[in-house]
Amino acid sequence: MRFAQLSYLLLLVIPALIGAYWWFAFRNSEARRIYDASEPLKSLVNQREFFWRKLRRGSLLIGLFVVGVGLARPQYGERLVELRQSGLDIVLALDFSKSMYARDVFPSRIDRAKSELNQMLNDANGDRIGVVAFAGEAISYPLTIDYGALKSFLRNTTPLDMPIGGTAIGDAIEKSTALLTRSKIAGADRDQIIFLISDGEDQSGKAEEMAKNAQQLGVRIVSLGIGSTSGEPIPIMDVNGVQHGFIEENGKPVISKLKADT
């Protein structure tokens, strides 16, 4: 047997029983003191009223105990219940182009995006999640419920790890869609979502086409633009995270802006 609300028994009923017992004992002590002071009243203690007083007090204590046990919700036995949870299949498509080093979002676009995705993984519960990291081309991490491995992948990957520069959003959507369709579980009713985070500087020219293909396959795309429309210079970073000036073109810093329309 177990109690679903044991706190009721421990915090309310047991102290109430102790308090009631102490009160009855105190009243009984006072009564005895009075009876002892008056010899004619001593005989009342042995009369039948004394027995009924004891019975009433005992009944009250037992009643309090029974109420306490009821409030604590005693439970006995067990049964197996099958719960069906459909969950989601999600691909986190994150832009790892060098423009994501821009600092118009604190501390930088890429670090802020990673922080948001890390929080999303903290809140995940049973959803299968994969990652597509993209710049000029895309690399992927398969769907899994090992969120610790996904966090490690995101934490250790930087724009410097991408073999080709640029931003190919169309390729990212294409690879994300392929990852979802290949991983689809036969007979499982799971919604499939691509969560796309980018500053929107698409250089593939096929983002809209790939988005329509994903839609036809039942894949939804949730996009989050990161950055500012006013733009920021793109820092030049080394493998140790140290900045060495800004990317320039014709002697002027290249300004990266959020392409909200994309």
Side-chain angles (χ1 to χ4, degrees):
M1 178 181 290
R2 66 185 184 90
F3 294 95
Q5 299 289 344
L6 187 59
S7 58
Y8 282 110
L9 193 61
L10 297 178
L11 300 179
L12 297 178
V13 180
I14 292 180
L17 286 171
I18 295 174
Y21 181 82
W22 176 86
W23 174 248
F24 290 147
F26 172 76
R27 291 189 62 187
N28 188 58
S29 176
E30 286 294 297
R32 285 185 177 278
R33 184 177 61 80
I34 294 172
Y35 294 159
D36 289 343
S38 179
E39 185 67 28
L41 295 177
K42 278 186 176 182
S43 60
L44 294 176
V45 176
N46 298 320
Q47 292 180 1
R48 292 179 61 187
E49 286 190 18
F50 179 73
F51 168 77
W52 289 112
R53 283 199 304 271
K54 285 286 189 180
L55 182 61
R56 286 197 299 270
R57 292 172 184 175
S59 299
L60 179 60
L61 292 174
I62 293 172
L64 282 174
F65 179 76
V66 171
V67 169
V69 172
L71 289 174
R73 293 174 57 197
Q75 299 176 348
Y76 178 77
E78 62 182 21
R79 60 175 179 158
L80 295 176
V81 178
E82 182 179 354
L83 299 177
R84 296 187 179 274
Q85 181 177 353
S86 59
L88 301 171
D89 283 348
I90 304 172
V91 171
L92 308 176
L94 178 58
D95 186 348
F96 276 89
S97 62
K98 289 182 174 59
S99 62
M100 292 290 284
Y101 277 133
R103 296 190 175 125
D104 47 2
V105 177
F106 181 81
S108 68
R109 295 176 185 176
I110 189 66
D111 289 331
R112 180 60 179 272
K114 286 183 178 183
S115 176
E116 296 294 337
L117 292 180
N118 191 71
Q119 184 59 52
M120 180 180 177
L121 290 171
N122 287 339
D123 297 334
N125 182 22
D127 300 320
R128 299 196 311 162
I129 301 177
V131 175
V132 167
F134 68 95
E137 67 175 26
I139 58 176
S140 60
Y141 192 100
L143 271 67
T144 181
I145 57 173
D146 186 352
Y147 305 136
L150 294 176
K151 290 179 183 179
S152 178
F153 177 82
L154 289 170
R155 182 173 58 250
N156 296 322
T157 304
T158 73
L160 298 177
D161 296 316
M162 306 309 294
I164 300 177
T167 309
I169 293 180
D171 292 341
I173 296 175
E174 183 178 25
K175 180 154 282 191
S176 299
T177 304
L179 195 61
L180 288 168
T181 53
R182 285 199 308 266
S183 302
K184 195 173 184 65
I185 301 175
D189 183 19
R190 300 173 71 96
D191 287 338
Q192 296 192 316
I193 299 171
I194 297 172
F195 187 40
L196 174 68
I197 301 181
S198 173
D199 54 25
E201 295 186 335
D202 181 39
Q203 297 168 354
S204 68
K206 59 177 184 179
E208 185 174 351
E209 177 189 352
M210 292 299 103
K212 288 180 179 179
N213 290 341
Q215 183 182 35
Q216 291 172 358
L217 293 171
V219 177
R220 289 187 292 162
I221 299 176
V222 178
S223 59
L224 175 63
I226 188 164
S228 66
T229 54
S230 59
E232 276 284 311
I234 303 173
I236 299 174
M237 309 296 291
D238 64 20
V239 293
N240 297 315
V242 178
Q243 180 180 342
H244 300 277
F246 296 95
I247 296 177
E248 295 183 354
E249 186 175 297
N250 299 323
K252 296 181 179 180
V254 175
I255 303 298
S256 173
K257 300 179 180 181
L258 170 65
K259 301 296 188 297
D261 290 344
T262 306

CSV table of all heavy atoms in Angstrom, one decimal, residues 121-182:
chain,number,residue,atom,x,y,z
A,121,LEU,N,16.3,22.3,-26.8
A,121,LEU,CA,16.6,20.9,-26.5
A,121,LEU,C,16.4,20.6,-25.1
A,121,LEU,O,16.0,19.5,-24.7
A,121,LEU,CB,18.1,20.7,-26.9
A,121,LEU,CG,18.3,20.7,-28.4
A,121,LEU,CD1,19.9,20.6,-28.7
A,121,LEU,CD2,17.7,19.5,-29.1
A,122,ASN,N,16.6,21.6,-24.2
A,122,ASN,CA,16.3,21.4,-22.8
A,122,ASN,C,14.8,21.1,-22.5
A,122,ASN,O,14.5,20.4,-21.6
A,122,ASN,CB,16.7,22.6,-21.9
A,122,ASN,CG,18.2,22.8,-21.8
A,122,ASN,OD1,18.9,21.8,-22.0
A,122,ASN,ND2,18.7,24.0,-21.5
A,123,ASP,N,14.0,21.7,-23.4
A,123,ASP,CA,12.5,21.6,-23.2
A,123,ASP,C,11.9,20.4,-24.0
A,123,ASP,O,10.8,20.0,-23.8
A,123,ASP,CB,11.8,22.8,-23.6
A,123,ASP,CG,12.2,24.0,-22.8
A,123,ASP,OD1,12.5,23.8,-21.6
A,123,ASP,OD2,12.1,25.2,-23.2
A,124,ALA,N,12.8,19.8,-24.8
A,124,ALA,CA,12.3,18.7,-25.7
A,124,ALA,C,11.9,17.5,-24.8
A,124,ALA,O,12.6,17.2,-23.8
A,124,ALA,CB,13.3,18.3,-26.7
A,125,ASN,N,10.9,16.7,-25.2
A,125,ASN,CA,10.5,15.5,-24.4
A,125,ASN,C,10.0,14.5,-25.4
A,125,ASN,O,8.8,14.4,-25.7
A,125,ASN,CB,9.4,15.9,-23.4
A,125,ASN,CG,9.0,14.8,-22.5
A,125,ASN,OD1,9.8,13.8,-22.4
A,125,ASN,ND2,7.9,14.9,-21.9
A,126,GLY,N,10.8,13.6,-25.8
A,126,GLY,CA,10.4,12.5,-26.7
A,126,GLY,C,10.4,12.8,-28.1
A,126,GLY,O,10.1,11.9,-28.9
A,127,ASP,N,10.6,14.1,-28.5
A,127,ASP,CA,10.6,14.4,-30.0
A,127,ASP,C,12.0,13.9,-30.6
A,127,ASP,O,13.0,14.0,-29.9
A,127,ASP,CB,10.5,15.9,-30.2
A,127,ASP,CG,9.2,16.4,-29.6
A,127,ASP,OD1,8.2,15.7,-29.8
A,127,ASP,OD2,9.2,17.5,-29.0
A,128,ARG,N,11.9,13.4,-31.8
A,128,ARG,CA,13.1,13.1,-32.5
A,128,ARG,C,13.6,14.3,-33.2
A,128,ARG,O,12.9,15.0,-34.0
A,128,ARG,CB,12.9,12.0,-33.5
A,128,ARG,CG,12.4,10.7,-32.9
A,128,ARG,CD,12.5,9.5,-33.8
A,128,ARG,NE,12.0,9.8,-35.1
A,128,ARG,CZ,12.2,9.1,-36.2
A,128,ARG,NH1,13.1,8.1,-36.2
A,128,ARG,NH2,11.7,9.4,-37.4
A,129,ILE,N,14.9,14.7,-33.0
A,129,ILE,CA,15.5,15.9,-33.5
A,129,ILE,C,16.8,15.6,-34.2
A,129,ILE,O,17.6,14.9,-33.7
A,129,ILE,CB,15.7,16.9,-32.3
A,129,ILE,CG1,14.3,17.2,-31.6
A,129,ILE,CG2,16.3,18.2,-32.8
A,129,ILE,CD1,14.5,18.1,-30.4
A,130,GLY,N,16.9,16.3,-35.3
A,130,GLY,CA,18.2,16.2,-36.1
A,130,GLY,C,18.7,17.7,-36.3
A,130,GLY,O,18.0,18.6,-36.0
A,131,VAL,N,19.9,17.8,-36.9
A,131,VAL,CA,20.5,19.1,-37.2
A,131,VAL,C,21.0,19.1,-38.6
A,131,VAL,O,21.6,18.1,-39.0
A,131,VAL,CB,21.6,19.4,-36.2
A,131,VAL,CG1,22.3,20.7,-36.5
A,131,VAL,CG2,21.1,19.5,-34.7
A,132,VAL,N,20.8,20.2,-39.3
A,132,VAL,CA,21.5,20.5,-40.5
A,132,VAL,C,22.2,21.8,-40.4
A,132,VAL,O,21.6,22.8,-40.1
A,132,VAL,CB,20.5,20.5,-41.7
A,132,VAL,CG1,21.1,21.1,-42.9
A,132,VAL,CG2,19.9,19.1,-42.0
A,133,ALA,N,23.5,21.7,-40.5
A,133,ALA,CA,24.4,22.9,-40.4
A,133,ALA,C,24.7,23.2,-41.9
A,133,ALA,O,25.2,22.4,-42.6
A,133,ALA,CB,25.6,22.6,-39.6
A,134,PHE,N,24.5,24.5,-42.2
A,134,PHE,CA,24.7,24.8,-43.6
A,134,PHE,C,25.4,26.2,-43.8
A,134,PHE,O,25.3,27.1,-43.0
A,134,PHE,CB,23.3,24.9,-44.4
A,134,PHE,CG,22.4,26.0,-44.0
A,134,PHE,CD1,22.4,27.2,-44.7
A,134,PHE,CD2,21.5,25.8,-42.9
A,134,PHE,CE1,21.5,28.2,-44.3
A,134,PHE,CE2,20.7,26.8,-42.6
A,134,PHE,CZ,20.6,28.0,-43.3
A,135,ALA,N,26.1,26.3,-44.9
A,135,ALA,CA,26.7,27.5,-45.4
A,135,ALA,C,26.6,27.4,-46.9
A,135,ALA,O,25.4,27.4,-47.4
A,135,ALA,CB,28.1,27.7,-44.9
A,136,GLY,N,27.7,27.3,-47.6
A,136,GLY,CA,27.6,27.1,-49.0
A,136,GLY,C,27.1,25.7,-49.4
A,136,GLY,O,26.6,25.4,-50.5
A,137,GLU,N,27.3,24.7,-48.5
A,137,GLU,CA,26.7,23.4,-48.6
A,137,GLU,C,26.3,23.0,-47.2
A,137,GLU,O,26.5,23.7,-46.2
A,137,GLU,CB,27.7,22.4,-49.2
A,137,GLU,CG,28.9,22.1,-48.3
A,137,GLU,CD,29.8,21.0,-48.9
A,137,GLU,OE1,29.7,20.8,-50.2
A,137,GLU,OE2,30.5,20.3,-48.2
A,138,ALA,N,25.6,21.9,-47.1
A,138,ALA,CA,25.0,21.5,-45.8
A,138,ALA,C,25.5,20.1,-45.3
A,138,ALA,O,25.8,19.2,-46.1
A,138,ALA,CB,23.5,21.4,-45.9
A,139,ILE,N,25.7,20.0,-44.0
A,139,ILE,CA,26.1,18.8,-43.4
A,139,ILE,C,25.0,18.5,-42.3
A,139,ILE,O,24.4,19.4,-41.8
A,139,ILE,CB,27.5,18.8,-42.7
A,139,ILE,CG1,27.5,19.9,-41.7
A,139,ILE,CG2,28.5,19.0,-43.8
A,139,ILE,CD1,28.9,19.9,-40.9
A,140,SER,N,24.7,17.2,-42.1
A,140,SER,CA,23.6,16.8,-41.3
A,140,SER,C,24.0,15.9,-40.1
A,140,SER,O,24.9,15.2,-40.2
A,140,SER,CB,22.5,16.2,-42.1
A,140,SER,OG,22.9,15.0,-42.7
A,141,TYR,N,23.1,15.9,-39.1
A,141,TYR,CA,23.2,15.0,-37.9
A,141,TYR,C,21.9,14.3,-37.9
A,141,TYR,O,20.8,15.0,-37.8
A,141,TYR,CB,23.5,15.7,-36.7
A,141,TYR,CG,23.9,14.9,-35.5
A,141,TYR,CD1,25.2,14.7,-35.1
A,141,TYR,CD2,22.9,14.2,-34.7
A,141,TYR,CE1,25.6,13.9,-34.1
A,141,TYR,CE2,23.3,13.4,-33.7
A,141,TYR,CZ,24.6,13.2,-33.4
A,141,TYR,OH,25.0,12.4,-32.3
A,142,PRO,N,21.8,13.0,-37.9
A,142,PRO,CA,20.5,12.3,-38.0
A,142,PRO,C,19.6,12.5,-36.8
A,142,PRO,O,20.0,12.9,-35.7
A,142,PRO,CB,20.9,10.8,-38.2
A,142,PRO,CG,22.3,10.7,-37.5
A,142,PRO,CD,22.9,12.1,-37.8
A,143,LEU,N,18.3,12.2,-37.0
A,143,LEU,CA,17.3,12.4,-36.0
A,143,LEU,C,17.6,11.4,-34.8
A,143,LEU,O,17.9,10.3,-35.0
A,143,LEU,CB,15.9,12.1,-36.5
A,143,LEU,CG,15.1,13.3,-37.1
A,143,LEU,CD1,15.8,13.7,-38.4
A,143,LEU,CD2,13.7,12.9,-37.4
A,144,THR,N,17.4,12.0,-33.6
A,144,THR,CA,17.7,11.2,-32.4
A,144,THR,C,17.0,11.8,-31.2
A,144,THR,O,16.5,12.9,-31.3
A,144,THR,CB,19.3,11.2,-32.1
A,144,THR,OG1,19.5,10.4,-31.0
A,144,THR,CG2,19.8,12.6,-31.9
A,145,ILE,N,16.9,11.0,-30.2
A,145,ILE,CA,16.4,11.6,-28.9
A,145,ILE,C,17.6,11.8,-27.9
A,145,ILE,O,17.3,12.0,-26.7
A,145,ILE,CB,15.3,10.7,-28.3
A,145,ILE,CG1,15.8,9.2,-28.0
A,145,ILE,CG2,14.1,10.7,-29.1
A,145,ILE,CD1,14.9,8.4,-27.3
A,146,ASP,N,18.8,11.6,-28.4
A,146,ASP,CA,20.0,11.9,-27.6
A,146,ASP,C,20.3,13.3,-27.7
A,146,ASP,O,21.1,13.8,-28.4
A,146,ASP,CB,21.2,11.0,-28.1
A,146,ASP,CG,22.4,11.1,-27.2
A,146,ASP,OD1,22.4,12.0,-26.2
A,146,ASP,OD2,23.4,10.4,-27.4
A,147,TYR,N,19.6,14.1,-26.8
A,147,TYR,CA,19.7,15.6,-26.9
A,147,TYR,C,21.1,16.0,-26.5
A,147,TYR,O,21.6,17.1,-26.9
A,147,TYR,CB,18.7,16.3,-26.1
A,147,TYR,CG,17.3,15.8,-26.4
A,147,TYR,CD1,16.3,15.5,-25.4
A,147,TYR,CD2,16.9,15.7,-27.7
A,147,TYR,CE1,15.0,15.1,-25.7
A,147,TYR,CE2,15.6,15.3,-28.1
A,147,TYR,CZ,14.7,15.0,-27.1
A,147,TYR,OH,13.4,14.6,-27.4
A,148,GLY,N,21.8,15.3,-25.6
A,148,GLY,CA,23.1,15.6,-25.2
A,148,GLY,C,24.1,15.6,-26.4
A,148,GLY,O,25.0,16.5,-26.5
A,149,ALA,N,23.9,14.6,-27.3
A,149,ALA,CA,24.8,14.5,-28.5
A,149,ALA,C,24.5,15.7,-29.4
A,149,ALA,O,25.4,16.3,-30.0
A,149,ALA,CB,24.6,13.2,-29.2
A,150,LEU,N,23.2,16.1,-29.5
A,150,LEU,CA,22.9,17.2,-30.4
A,150,LEU,C,23.5,18.5,-29.8
A,150,LEU,O,24.0,19.4,-30.6
A,150,LEU,CB,21.4,17.4,-30.5
A,150,LEU,CG,20.7,16.3,-31.2
A,150,LEU,CD1,19.1,16.5,-31.2
A,150,LEU,CD2,21.1,16.2,-32.7
A,151,LYS,N,23.4,18.7,-28.5
A,151,LYS,CA,24.0,19.9,-27.9
A,151,LYS,C,25.5,20.0,-28.1
A,151,LYS,O,26.1,21.0,-28.4
A,151,LYS,CB,23.8,19.9,-26.4
A,151,LYS,CG,22.3,20.2,-26.0
A,151,LYS,CD,22.2,20.1,-24.5
A,151,LYS,CE,20.7,20.3,-24.1
A,151,LYS,NZ,20.5,20.2,-22.6
A,152,SER,N,26.2,18.8,-28.0
A,152,SER,CA,27.6,18.7,-28.3
A,152,SER,C,27.9,19.1,-29.7
A,152,SER,O,28.9,19.8,-30.0
A,152,SER,CB,28.1,17.3,-28.0
A,152,SER,OG,29.5,17.2,-28.2
A,153,PHE,N,27.1,18.6,-30.7
A,153,PHE,CA,27.3,18.9,-32.1
A,153,PHE,C,27.2,20.4,-32.3
A,153,PHE,O,28.1,21.0,-33.0
A,153,PHE,CB,26.3,18.1,-32.9
A,153,PHE,CG,26.4,18.4,-34.4
A,153,PHE,CD1,27.3,17.8,-35.2
A,153,PHE,CD2,25.5,19.3,-35.0
A,153,PHE,CE1,27.4,18.0,-36.6
A,153,PHE,CE2,25.6,19.6,-36.4
A,153,PHE,CZ,26.5,18.9,-37.2
A,154,LEU,N,26.2,21.0,-31.8
A,154,LEU,CA,26.0,22.4,-32.0
A,154,LEU,C,27.1,23.2,-31.3
A,154,LEU,O,27.6,24.2,-31.9
A,154,LEU,CB,24.6,22.9,-31.4
A,154,LEU,CG,23.4,22.4,-32.2
A,154,LEU,CD1,22.1,22.7,-31.4
A,154,LEU,CD2,23.3,23.1,-33.6
A,155,ARG,N,27.5,22.8,-30.1
A,155,ARG,CA,28.5,23.6,-29.4
A,155,ARG,C,29.9,23.5,-30.1
A,155,ARG,O,30.6,24.6,-30.1
A,155,ARG,CB,28.6,23.0,-28.0
A,155,ARG,CG,29.6,23.7,-27.1
A,155,ARG,CD,29.6,23.2,-25.6
A,155,ARG,NE,29.8,21.7,-25.6
A,155,ARG,CZ,28.9,20.8,-25.3
A,155,ARG,NH1,27.6,21.2,-25.0
A,155,ARG,NH2,29.2,19.6,-25.2
A,156,ASN,N,30.2,22.4,-30.7
A,156,ASN,CA,31.5,22.3,-31.2
A,156,ASN,C,31.6,22.6,-32.7
A,156,ASN,O,32.7,22.6,-33.3
A,156,ASN,CB,32.0,20.8,-31.1
A,156,ASN,CG,32.1,20.4,-29.6
A,156,ASN,OD1,32.6,21.2,-28.8
A,156,ASN,ND2,31.8,19.2,-29.3
A,157,THR,N,30.5,22.9,-33.4
A,157,THR,CA,30.6,23.3,-34.8
A,157,THR,C,30.6,24.8,-34.9
A,157,THR,O,29.8,25.5,-34.2
A,157,THR,CB,29.3,22.7,-35.5
A,157,THR,OG1,29.3,21.3,-35.3
A,157,THR,CG2,29.4,23.0,-37.0
A,158,THR,N,31.4,25.4,-35.8
A,158,THR,CA,31.5,26.8,-36.0
A,158,THR,C,31.5,27.1,-37.5
A,158,THR,O,31.7,26.1,-38.3
A,158,THR,CB,32.8,27.4,-35.4
A,158,THR,OG1,33.9,27.0,-36.2
A,158,THR,CG2,33.0,26.9,-34.0
A,159,PRO,N,31.3,28.3,-37.9
A,159,PRO,CA,31.3,28.6,-39.4
A,159,PRO,C,32.7,28.2,-40.0
A,159,PRO,O,32.7,28.0,-41.2
A,159,PRO,CB,31.1,30.1,-39.4
A,159,PRO,CG,30.2,30.4,-38.2
A,159,PRO,CD,30.7,29.4,-37.1
A,160,LEU,N,33.7,28.2,-39.2
A,160,LEU,CA,35.0,27.8,-39.8
A,160,LEU,C,35.1,26.3,-40.2
A,160,LEU,O,36.0,25.9,-40.9
A,160,LEU,CB,36.1,28.1,-38.7
A,160,LEU,CG,36.3,29.5,-38.3
A,160,LEU,CD1,37.4,29.7,-37.3
A,160,LEU,CD2,36.7,30.4,-39.5
A,161,ASP,N,34.1,25.5,-39.7
A,161,ASP,CA,34.1,24.1,-40.0
A,161,ASP,C,33.4,23.8,-41.4
A,161,ASP,O,33.5,22.7,-41.9
A,161,ASP,CB,33.4,23.3,-38.9
A,161,ASP,CG,34.1,23.3,-37.6
A,161,ASP,OD1,35.3,23.2,-37.6
A,161,ASP,OD2,33.4,23.6,-36.6
A,162,MET,N,32.8,24.8,-41.9
A,162,MET,CA,32.0,24.6,-43.1
A,162,MET,C,33.0,24.6,-44.3
A,162,MET,O,33.8,25.6,-44.5
A,162,MET,CB,30.9,25.7,-43.3
A,162,MET,CG,30.0,25.8,-42.1
A,162,MET,SD,29.3,24.2,-41.6
A,162,MET,CE,28.3,23.8,-43.0
A,163,PRO,N,33.0,23.6,-45.2
A,163,PRO,CA,34.0,23.5,-46.2
A,163,PRO,C,33.8,24.5,-47.3
A,163,PRO,O,34.8,24.9,-48.0
A,163,PRO,CB,33.8,22.1,-46.8
A,163,PRO,CG,32.4,21.7,-46.4
A,163,PRO,CD,32.1,22.4,-45.1
A,164,ILE,N,32.6,25.0,-47.5
A,164,ILE,CA,32.3,26.0,-48.6
A,164,ILE,C,31.6,27.2,-48.0
A,164,ILE,O,30.6,27.0,-47.2
A,164,ILE,CB,31.4,25.4,-49.7
A,164,ILE,CG1,32.2,24.2,-50.4
A,164,ILE,CG2,31.1,26.4,-50.8
A,164,ILE,CD1,31.4,23.5,-51.4
A,165,GLY,N,32.0,28.4,-48.3
A,165,GLY,CA,31.4,29.6,-47.8
A,165,GLY,C,30.1,29.9,-48.5
A,165,GLY,O,29.7,29.2,-49.4
A,166,GLY,N,29.4,31.0,-48.1
A,166,GLY,CA,28.2,31.4,-48.6
A,166,GLY,C,27.0,30.9,-47.8
A,166,GLY,O,27.2,30.4,-46.7
A,167,THR,N,25.8,31.1,-48.3
A,167,THR,CA,24.6,30.7,-47.6
A,167,THR,C,23.6,30.1,-48.6
A,167,THR,O,23.0,30.8,-49.4
A,167,THR,CB,23.9,31.9,-46.9
A,167,THR,OG1,24.9,32.6,-46.2
A,167,THR,CG2,22.8,31.5,-46.0
A,168,ALA,N,23.4,28.8,-48.6
A,168,ALA,CA,22.6,28.1,-49.5
A,168,ALA,C,21.4,27.6,-48.7
A,168,ALA,O,21.3,26.4,-48.3
A,168,ALA,CB,23.3,26.9,-50.2
A,169,ILE,N,20.4,28.4,-48.5
A,169,ILE,CA,19.2,28.0,-47.8
A,169,ILE,C,18.4,27.0,-48.5
A,169,ILE,O,17.9,26.0,-47.9
A,169,ILE,CB,18.3,29.3,-47.5
A,169,ILE,CG1,19.0,30.2,-46.6
A,169,ILE,CG2,16.9,28.9,-47.0
A,169,ILE,CD1,18.2,31.5,-46.3
A,170,GLY,N,18.4,27.0,-49.9
A,170,GLY,CA,17.7,26.0,-50.6
A,170,GLY,C,18.3,24.6,-50.4
A,170,GLY,O,17.5,23.6,-50.2
A,171,ASP,N,19.6,24.5,-50.4
A,171,ASP,CA,20.2,23.2,-50.1
A,171,ASP,C,19.9,22.8,-48.7
A,171,ASP,O,19.8,21.6,-48.5
A,171,ASP,CB,21.8,23.4,-50.3
A,171,ASP,CG,22.1,23.6,-51.8
A,171,ASP,OD1,21.3,23.3,-52.6
A,171,ASP,OD2,23.3,24.1,-52.0
A,172,ALA,N,19.9,23.7,-47.8
A,172,ALA,CA,19.6,23.3,-46.4
A,172,ALA,C,18.2,22.7,-46.3
A,172,ALA,O,18.0,21.7,-45.6
A,172,ALA,CB,19.7,24.5,-45.5
A,173,ILE,N,17.2,23.4,-46.9
A,173,ILE,CA,15.8,22.8,-46.9
A,173,ILE,C,15.8,21.5,-47.6
A,173,ILE,O,15.1,20.6,-47.1
A,173,ILE,CB,14.9,23.8,-47.6
A,173,ILE,CG1,14.8,25.1,-46.8
A,173,ILE,CG2,13.5,23.2,-47.7
A,173,ILE,CD1,14.0,26.2,-47.4
A,174,GLU,N,16.5,21.3,-48.7
A,174,GLU,CA,16.5,20.1,-49.4
A,174,GLU,C,17.0,19.0,-48.6
A,174,GLU,O,16.4,17.9,-48.5
A,174,GLU,CB,17.3,20.2,-50.7
A,174,GLU,CG,17.3,19.0,-51.6
A,174,GLU,CD,18.0,19.2,-52.9
A,174,GLU,OE1,18.9,20.1,-52.9
A,174,GLU,OE2,17.7,18.5,-53.9
A,175,LYS,N,18.2,19.2,-47.9
A,175,LYS,CA,18.8,18.2,-47.1
A,175,LYS,C,17.9,17.9,-45.9
A,175,LYS,O,17.8,16.7,-45.4
A,175,LYS,CB,20.2,18.6,-46.7
A,175,LYS,CG,20.9,17.6,-45.8
A,175,LYS,CD,22.4,17.6,-45.9
A,175,LYS,CE,22.9,17.0,-47.2
A,175,LYS,NZ,24.4,16.8,-47.3
A,176,SER,N,17.3,18.9,-45.3
A,176,SER,CA,16.5,18.7,-44.1
A,176,SER,C,15.3,17.8,-44.5
A,176,SER,O,14.9,16.9,-43.7
A,176,SER,CB,16.0,20.0,-43.5
A,176,SER,OG,17.1,20.8,-43.1
A,177,THR,N,14.6,18.1,-45.6
A,177,THR,CA,13.5,17.4,-46.1
A,177,THR,C,13.9,15.9,-46.3
A,177,THR,O,13.1,15.0,-45.9
A,177,THR,CB,12.9,18.0,-47.4
A,177,THR,OG1,12.6,19.4,-47.1
A,177,THR,CG2,11.7,17.3,-47.8
A,178,ALA,N,15.0,15.7,-46.9
A,178,ALA,CA,15.5,14.3,-47.2
A,178,ALA,C,15.7,13.6,-45.9
A,178,ALA,O,15.4,12.4,-45.8
A,178,ALA,CB,16.7,14.4,-48.0
A,179,LEU,N,16.3,14.3,-44.9
A,179,LEU,CA,16.5,13.7,-43.6
A,179,LEU,C,15.2,13.2,-42.9
A,179,LEU,O,15.1,12.1,-42.4
A,179,LEU,CB,17.3,14.7,-42.7
A,179,LEU,CG,17.9,14.2,-41.5
A,179,LEU,CD1,19.0,13.1,-41.8
A,179,LEU,CD2,18.6,15.3,-40.7
A,180,LEU,N,14.2,14.0,-43.1
A,180,LEU,CA,12.9,13.7,-42.5
A,180,LEU,C,12.2,12.6,-43.2
A,180,LEU,O,11.7,11.7,-42.6
A,180,LEU,CB,12.0,15.0,-42.5
A,180,LEU,CG,12.4,16.1,-41.5
A,180,LEU,CD1,11.6,17.3,-41.8
A,180,LEU,CD2,12.1,15.6,-40.0
A,181,THR,N,12.2,12.6,-44.5
A,181,THR,CA,11.5,11.6,-45.3
A,181,THR,C,12.2,10.2,-45.1
A,181,THR,O,11.5,9.2,-45.1
A,181,THR,CB,11.4,12.0,-46.8
A,181,THR,OG1,12.7,12.3,-47.3
A,181,THR,CG2,10.5,13.2,-46.9
A,182,ARG,N,13.5,10.2,-45.1
A,182,ARG,CA,14.2,8.9,-44.9
A,182,ARG,C,14.0,8.4,-43.5
A,182,ARG,O,14.0,7.1,-43.3
A,182,ARG,CB,15.7,9.1,-45.1
A,182,ARG,CG,16.2,9.3,-46.5
A,182,ARG,CD,17.6,9.0,-46.7
A,182,ARG,NE,18.4,9.8,-45.7
A,182,ARG,CZ,19.0,11.0,-46.0
A,182,ARG,NH1,18.8,11.5,-47.2
A,182,ARG,NH2,19.7,11.6,-45.1
